[in-house]
Amino acid sequence: FSVLQVVFEHEGVFIHSSPDESEDQDLISGILRIVDKVWVLSVDADPSNMLCACKDSSSVVEWTQSSEDNPHRPIDHQLSYETEWDMINAVSFRRKAHAHGDGGSNHTNDRNKWAFSFNVCDLRSITVKCEGWSYITFRLKDGTALPAIHFHQGGSTAFLDSLRKSVQINESPDDESVLIVSTYCKTFSQSFENLLDDTNYGLVQKFKKDPYTTTLGGFSKVTNYLFDAFRAPELECHQRPAEEVADLLGELIPGLEINQQEEPGFEVITRLDLGPRPEVQRRGPVTMEEWAKYQDSEGRITNVPHLKDLIFKGGLCHAVRREAWKFLLSYFPWNSTHEERKLLQKRKTDEYFRMKLQWKSVSEEQERRNSRLRDYRSLIEKDVNRTDRNNKFYEGLDNPGLILLHDILMTYCMYDFDLGYVQGMSDLLSPILFVMENEVDAFWCFVSFMDEMHENFEEQMQGMKTQLIQLSTLLRLLDLAFWNYLEAQDSGYLYFCFRWLLIRFKRELQFQDVLRLWEVMWTRLPCQNFHLLVCCAILDSEKQKIMDRKYGFNEILKHINELSMKLDIEEILSKSEAICMQIKNCKDLPHSVSEILGLNTVTEPSAALETSEYGILESPQTSPRSTNRQDHYKPTPMIFM
């Protein structure tokens, strides 16, 4: 069945009966609403089932005249899908017979001549002006200009913010008081460039004032951001020199200059002969039948190192992922039984919904006094509406996938309130939710992934600093000539790899390839920080083109950006593994490189540890956060002679 969801309502919005300022004009008070039609399908009592609800494309804006004899309509609460964790939902639905709710425009109303309603899809532009108070005029695509509505008591900003959830609103280049309206499309919504609010040099100032926030907002689509944002508009004759941009970049993440200076304490080594790079063969993905062979009668996973080797070599077929990812992400212990996992899920379900209740039970009044929660919610709502919108699982407005994406991210804010939500985290959750198709399982797998990725999103960006330094060290070892070329082009900081590292290549690969890459990396094979070798493999494939064409700073950024969605994941994985084997075979490997890749680490093995094909010690109870975050990593810089 369908219900009409009132997503915005504000009383005391006036229409002036005469456009001039005559003293005898009437001020007609009314109520302004944005109404969405929502289709709801009730589900059974299984908490693992998703809410089957979706919003159609007929969001309607309406203004009706206030009337004393117009009683409030009853409120119908949203159906809950949380069964025993049923809770009051802050979203309410109002049933309403709306003659033109399915797309038509209505400029006159039987009750009074001023009332109007229109589908947001019919809206062309909005003019916003101020005369002590704000007033707004709507112009439709058929040329009709509706009566101006005056916000004598405020509320115009909240109205426009709500409207932005249904349509894209941009400032007109010709008139700053005019907002141009366009509906969302798949390509635009998924675009990384869509995340930018402006691309002029003014953003550089914001960059300097708040490097962390702006870096995550800008560097999550780093290459186009740098290539466009630091340039003057096309109509202007001048352009900021590349070296000025490079100098500014050097200020953004203090600490990276360690790579550029010859200071005491550097590890001085001669240029190494790494020897030939071996050929690597990959295999097909692990099938359901193969996966079953590695379980005993009680459900324990046996011979974990060998199974991880198979996953590393070929990944998983999609039918296995929902179960296998829970082990790879340490949600399920490898040695747990079926019964132990059922008890674990029940306990984790209770824990999840207790945290979810914390934010769902916050009233509007409470949220007004909690700026951090309010900011988290605002940023999550904005990011959810543009995460993987070309994927059918997240297609359309407010579909079940989007609702769950939003709720999991809000609940994560309760789980880790110090970190809360930072732009880019929705990209890490999206593939996990897609695979799990279950709110609770997706949340706890996401928690494990965030344990590993946490430092990427912390305010000091220590994780990003460390990884860029480590990547620079590896690249200089593998190809000093190429690294020297990048350094000569003011690109030695490797900022063009920032997006790769921040969200683990999520925006560089096709969605299915992201799933393959992540499950391979989650095996923790064939070495520590394998994702850095993936970066090296991509750069190795592109270095000749970059050097032969004599690309400079901007051209390198642009070229790397244009690799997005064009990369061959199997070729990359083969080359990454070959690079790892080549480094391992090298004699007199620099200590700094051994430390980065976790090679030749002296460890006292215990009975609980098993060794994989790659010589990695495996522990079934190892926590990703404790082993993979470089909490105490202090790189030993190298100078190549």
Side-chain angles (χ1 to χ4, degrees):
F1 62 92
S2 67
V3 292
L4 296 178
Q5 177 187 358
V6 179
V7 298
F8 176 86
E9 182 173 83
H10 190 68
E11 298 186 22
V13 182
F14 294 84
I15 286 180
H16 296 190
S17 62
S18 174
D20 56 32
E21 298 184 3
S22 58
E23 294 183 1
D24 58 347
Q25 70 172 327
D26 292 329
L27 299 182
I28 305 166
S29 178
I31 302 172
L32 181 67
R33 298 185 184 91
I34 302 176
V35 183
D36 291 335
K37 178 181 286 186
V38 179
W39 295 93
V40 179
L41 177 63
S42 58
V43 299
D44 59 32
D46 183 354
S48 68
N49 284 341
M50 292 166 40
L51 173 64
C52 295
C54 63
K55 186 172 78 176
D56 68 13
S57 59
S58 56
S59 298
V60 171
V61 175
E62 65 173 20
W63 182 92
T64 55
Q65 186 172 338
S66 300
S67 173
E68 294 181 1
D69 59 355
N70 184 20
H72 291 291
R73 291 179 292 276
I75 293 177
D76 298 312
H77 288 294
Q78 176 183 0
L79 290 180
S80 172
Y81 65 106
E82 292 150 359
T83 61
E84 60 191 273
W85 277 100
D86 202 5
M87 60 191 71
I88 296 174
N89 196 300
V91 179
S92 59
F93 295 89
R94 299 175 186 256
R95 297 183 185 276
K96 179 175 181 294
H98 199 289
H100 296 270
D102 291 326
S105 298
N106 180 26
H107 315 312
T108 61
N109 188 283
D110 292 338
R111 193 168 61 80
N112 65 76
K113 69 175 184 177
W114 295 106
F116 63 80
S117 68
F118 58 86
N119 192 304
V120 295
C121 296
D122 297 328
L123 187 58
R124 172 183 292 170
S125 66
I126 305 168
T127 301
V128 184
K129 294 193 176 180
C130 185
E131 292 182 351
W133 63 82
S134 296
Y135 70 91
I136 290 176
T137 304
F138 302 105
R139 184 172 294 276
L140 305 183
K141 291 178 180 177
D142 62 6
T144 304
L146 300 179
I149 54 173
H150 298 250
F151 293 81
H152 290 199
Q153 300 168 7
S156 61
T157 300
F159 167 73
L160 291 173
D161 287 343
S162 294
L163 192 60
R164 284 187 175 94
K165 297 177 182 178
S166 299
V167 291
Q168 181 71 22
I169 299 177
N170 296 303
E171 192 174 288
S172 169
D174 302 320
D175 186 344
E176 62 181 15
S177 68
V178 176
L179 303 175
I180 306 300
V181 178
S182 59
T183 54
Y184 287 103
C185 69
K186 296 178 187 176
T187 305
F188 186 72
S189 296
Q190 69 166 331
S191 163
F192 238 90
E193 290 68 41
N194 180 30
L195 302 181
L196 277 180
D197 294 323
D198 70 63
T199 54
N200 52 47
Y201 181 64
L203 200 53
V204 174
Q205 303 308 314
K206 188 163 64 173
F207 224 75
K208 284 183 171 180
K209 290 178 183 177
D210 189 357
Y212 170 68
T213 302
T214 314
T215 297
L216 288 179
F219 269 109
S220 56
K221 57 278 181 188
V222 59
T223 46
N224 262 4
Y225 174 78
L226 291 174
F227 187 68
D228 294 330
F230 291 97
R231 296 175 58 183
E234 293 296 330
L235 296 178
E236 298 183 15
C237 298
H238 63 281
Q239 178 176 324
R240 292 183 62 80
E243 58 270 19
E244 289 186 30
V245 183
D247 290 342
L248 178 60
L249 290 179
E251 301 171 10
L252 297 179
I253 307 185
L256 291 181
E257 65 275 3
I258 190 172
N259 281 326
Q260 317 301 325
Q261 300 172 359
E262 296 187 10
E263 298 178 350
F266 271 63
E267 182 180 5
V268 181
I269 60 174
T270 57
R271 187 168 182 174
L272 296 176
D273 180 9
L274 292 176
R277 186 170 297 170
E279 291 290 326
V280 168
Q281 297 295 323
R282 290 186 57 76
R283 51 156 285 165
V286 174
T287 65
M288 186 67 80
E289 292 75 18
E290 287 178 300
W291 175 262
K293 291 177 182 177
Y294 285 85
Q295 294 190 43
D296 66 18
S297 59
E298 293 184 319
R300 297 182 187 87
I301 306 298
T302 60
N303 200 353
V304 174
H306 189 259
L307 178 58
K308 284 188 176 183
D309 288 339
L310 296 182
I311 297 172
F312 174 77
K313 281 290 191 179
L316 298 158
C317 70
H318 192 70
V320 179
R321 284 183 172 132
R322 190 181 303 180
E323 183 177 0
W325 279 25
K326 296 170 189 175
F327 293 94
L328 290 171
L329 285 166
S330 302
Y331 175 34
F332 287 169
W334 291 95
N335 61 349
S336 60
T337 65
H338 290 306
E339 287 302 315
E340 288 170 342
R341 293 197 287 271
K342 284 181 182 178
L343 292 174
L344 175 65
Q345 280 185 300
K346 187 178 188 308
R347 188 172 73 252
K348 290 296 189 180
T349 297
D350 290 344
E351 188 177 348
Y352 173 79
F353 281 114
R354 277 195 294 271
M355 290 186 290
K356 184 174 181 181
L357 181 58
Q358 291 173 356
W359 66 265
K360 291 198 79 171
S361 59
V362 172
S363 68
E364 291 184 9
E365 283 295 323
Q366 286 177 297
E367 192 164 316
R368 286 195 193 100
R369 294 187 291 272
N370 191 330
S371 60
R372 290 187 67 187
L373 181 62
R374 192 169 62 247
D375 291 345
Y376 289 157
R377 185 193 296 272
S378 175
L379 188 53
I380 287 170
E381 289 175 352
K382 182 185 291 186
D383 280 1
V384 162
N385 282 328
R386 55 199 179 192
T387 299
D388 291 325
R389 300 307 300 278
N390 62 326
N391 187 310
K392 287 188 177 181
F393 191 81
Y394 300 107
E395 212 171 38
L397 294 175
D398 292 342
N399 69 12
L402 293 179
I403 294 170
L404 293 180
L405 200 66
H406 169 274
D407 287 2
I408 292 171
L409 291 170
M410 283 296 298
T411 305
Y412 187 81
C413 292
M414 298 296 105
Y415 175 83
D416 189 345
F417 204 81
D418 286 342
L419 179 65
Y421 178 79
V422 180
Q423 192 172 23
M425 288 165 56
S426 63
D427 279 291
L428 299 184
L429 171 59
S430 169
I432 294 174
L433 178 57
F434 171 82
V435 168
M436 294 299 153
E437 295 184 324
N438 176 281
E439 182 174 5
V440 175
D441 291 343
F443 173 81
W444 290 110
C445 287
F446 175 66
V447 164
S448 293
F449 195 20
M450 279 302 301
D451 282 347
E452 177 183 347
M453 303 293 289
H454 201 279
E455 284 192 340
N456 283 12
F457 298 96
E458 291 171 359
E459 188 166 357
Q460 299 304 314
M461 289 186 291
Q462 185 58 49
M464 297 307 300
K465 294 178 189 177
T466 298
Q467 289 175 89
L468 287 169
I469 292 171
Q470 291 173 332
L471 179 57
S472 178
T473 300
L474 292 173
L475 189 60
R476 280 185 289 172
L477 171 73
L478 291 167
D479 197 323
L480 182 59
F482 179 50
W483 189 89
N484 284 336
Y485 177 86
L486 294 176
E487 171 71 359
Q489 307 305 319
D490 294 308
S491 298
Y493 289 131
L494 306 180
Y495 278 103
F496 47 81
C497 298
F498 198 105
R499 182 174 69 184
W500 300 357
L501 300 171
L502 181 71
I503 50 176
R504 285 295 194 272
F505 308 93
K506 170 62 169 52
R507 290 285 177 168
E508 316 312 315
L509 301 167
Q510 299 290 341
F511 194 85
Q512 290 297 324
D513 289 345
V514 172
L515 307 184
R516 171 73 74 244
L517 175 64
W518 284 8
E519 64 200 14
V520 166
M521 291 194 300
W522 289 336
T523 64
R524 321 294 171 193
L525 298 175
C527 63
Q528 184 177 281
N529 287 315
F530 181 66
H531 66 285
L532 298 179
L533 298 184
V534 173
C535 294
C536 292
I538 298 172
L539 294 175
D540 184 75
S541 297
E542 301 302 319
K543 65 181 180 183
Q544 209 58 49
K545 188 178 296 182
I546 290 172
M547 296 171 72
D548 289 348
R549 297 180 181 180
K550 295 181 171 56
Y551 282 161
F553 180 85
N554 282 340
E555 290 80 12
I556 293 171
L557 291 171
K558 184 172 185 293
H559 177 74
I560 295 298
N561 183 69
E562 290 174 349
L563 296 176
S564 179
M565 302 300 153
K566 299 175 183 176
L567 298 170
D568 184 325
I569 185 60
E570 292 300 323
E571 179 183 317
I572 291 169
L573 287 172
S574 295
K575 181 172 285 189
S576 304
E577 183 183 0
I579 290 173
C580 181
M581 295 172 67
Q582 183 184 26
I583 292 175
K584 283 184 174 182
N585 292 335
C586 175
K587 296 180 179 180
D588 302 319
L589 195 65
H591 174 72
S592 54
V593 174
S594 297
E595 190 177 32
I596 291 168
L597 300 182
L599 307 177
N600 303 323
T601 302
V602 178
T603 306
E604 290 294 331
S606 68
L609 298 175
E610 299 179 83
T611 306
S612 74
E613 172 188 335
Y614 295 95
I616 303 297
L617 292 174
E618 299 287 347
S619 173
Q621 302 299 329
T622 297
S623 166
R625 192 161 181 171
S626 64
T627 58
N628 289 284
R629 286 177 61 191
Q630 306 301 309
D631 295 325
H632 307 291
Y633 176 77
K634 294 183 179 179
T636 304
M638 299 185 300
I639 299 176
F640 285 82
M641 306 299 290

